[in-house]
Amino acid sequence: LEGNFDGGNHRLVGLYEKTDNYGGLFGCLVSPIKISNLAVRDGNIYGKSSTGSIIGYISASDNSALTIENCYNTAIITGPDTGGIIGYLSCKMLTMKNCINTGKITGTENVGGAIGSSYGDGYATALVENCYNTGAITGKSIVGGIIGNGAQYYGKFTITKCHNRGQIISNSDSYYSHVGGILGIGKADATYCSNEGKISSGSFVGGIIGNGERGCMVSQCYNMAEIMGNSFTGGIIGNGGDNTKADGCYNTGEIIGS
């Protein structure tokens, strides 16, 4: 499958899938594509590899672009590298806009309301804009309300006008949990984002970014939910790393750390 797939604002209702491979409406894609105007409603998708409602796994060729717009999920998603919209992606350029997840998501590592895990080289660019999660998210480690693992994306994410209202629980015994209301771990510029979902985790926990590797800029963002963690727990950023800055942000949620 390549080119454009326009769902025409149709809804796929009752998608029940259990697979030993990649789980999702499109389990595995290896070509650049644009997918838009599509909803997955009231199903249950389980995969033993990367799993998402729209795309389980996509690894496109060099200099390729992936565009996902106006997609919606209410189905229950379960598996590793798990996202409400995309489980795992590897591409040169990503544009994701106006995507919503309200379904419950359960995974192990790399779990996100929109994207579970991502990969891109140092010249890669990624824009995630106006995306929402209200579904409860549970994972062991590297969990985000919008993106779980952005640390493999060696370019930089731009995340703007994205919001999480779903509860996030990390049940890992590991010291390094990496959990954020928007981004679990990675390098990103986050603007006009918010978290209103209670977060319970181990260490490296933030209302917006759990662990900001290789520098992040967080501006005009806020957290209004309780954040519970061990060490490196913050209302906006858990751990900033080098060259990380925050500007015009505020927190009104209770912060509980040990």
Side-chain angles (χ1 to χ4, degrees):
L1 180 67
E2 60 183 322
N4 294 332
F5 183 93
D6 189 337
N9 295 316
H10 286 86
R11 295 175 295 172
L12 180 62
V13 180
L15 175 60
Y16 292 90
E17 179 183 8
K18 185 175 182 179
T19 175
D20 291 337
N21 296 305
Y22 306 114
L25 179 61
F26 302 104
C28 180
L29 296 176
V30 292
S31 299
I33 193 172
K34 178 180 179 179
I35 299 176
S36 59
N37 308 316
L38 182 62
V40 175
R41 299 286 302 269
D42 305 329
N44 197 322
I45 303 171
Y46 172 88
K48 287 189 176 180
S49 190
S50 305
T51 304
S53 67
I54 305 297
I55 300 174
Y57 175 95
I58 179 166
S59 181
S61 59
D62 292 343
N63 300 316
S64 60
L66 170 66
T67 300
I68 305 288
E69 294 180 347
N70 307 319
C71 290
Y72 189 99
N73 173 64
T74 70
I76 297 171
I77 311 294
T78 306
D81 286 337
T82 306
I85 305 297
I86 301 173
Y88 176 91
L89 70 91
S90 175
C91 62
K92 192 75 172 181
M93 294 176 286
L94 166 70
T95 301
M96 173 181 276
K97 294 183 178 181
N98 308 322
C99 292
I100 299 172
N101 175 71
T102 66
K104 180 181 178 181
I105 301 174
T106 303
T108 51
E109 293 185 348
N110 307 325
V111 186
I115 300 170
S117 186
S118 59
Y119 176 84
D121 66 24
Y123 298 98
T125 60
L127 171 66
V128 180
E129 180 177 356
N130 201 35
C131 293
Y132 291 78
N133 175 69
T134 62
I137 302 175
T138 302
K140 288 187 176 181
S141 61
I142 312 180
V143 185
I146 301 298
I147 301 168
N149 190 347
Q152 299 180 86
Y153 211 88
Y154 297 113
K156 196 172 192 179
F157 274 97
T158 297
I159 307 172
T160 184
K161 300 177 184 176
C162 291
H163 308 280
N164 175 65
R165 293 182 174 86
Q167 183 178 12
I168 301 174
I169 298 175
S170 167
N171 51 23
S172 173
D173 294 330
S174 170
Y175 176 74
Y176 300 101
S177 296
H178 309 299
V179 178
I182 300 298
L183 173 66
I185 186 172
K187 183 178 180 179
D189 289 337
T191 58
Y192 301 104
C193 295
S194 68
N195 175 65
E196 297 180 36
K198 179 180 178 180
I199 300 176
S200 177
S201 181
S203 298
F204 298 93
V205 190
I208 301 299
I209 296 176
N211 192 353
E213 285 198 335
R214 296 185 296 277
C216 295
M217 179 65 194
V218 182
S219 61
Q220 309 302 319
C221 295
Y222 66 86
N223 172 68
M224 299 179 67
E226 177 184 289
I227 309 294
M228 181 181 295
N230 296 326
S231 56
F232 298 98
T233 302
I236 301 298
I237 302 170
N239 179 55
D242 295 335
N243 302 315
T244 292
K245 299 178 181 179
D247 179 63
C249 300
Y250 68 89
N251 170 69
T252 63
E254 183 179 5
I255 308 300
I256 303 172
S258 59

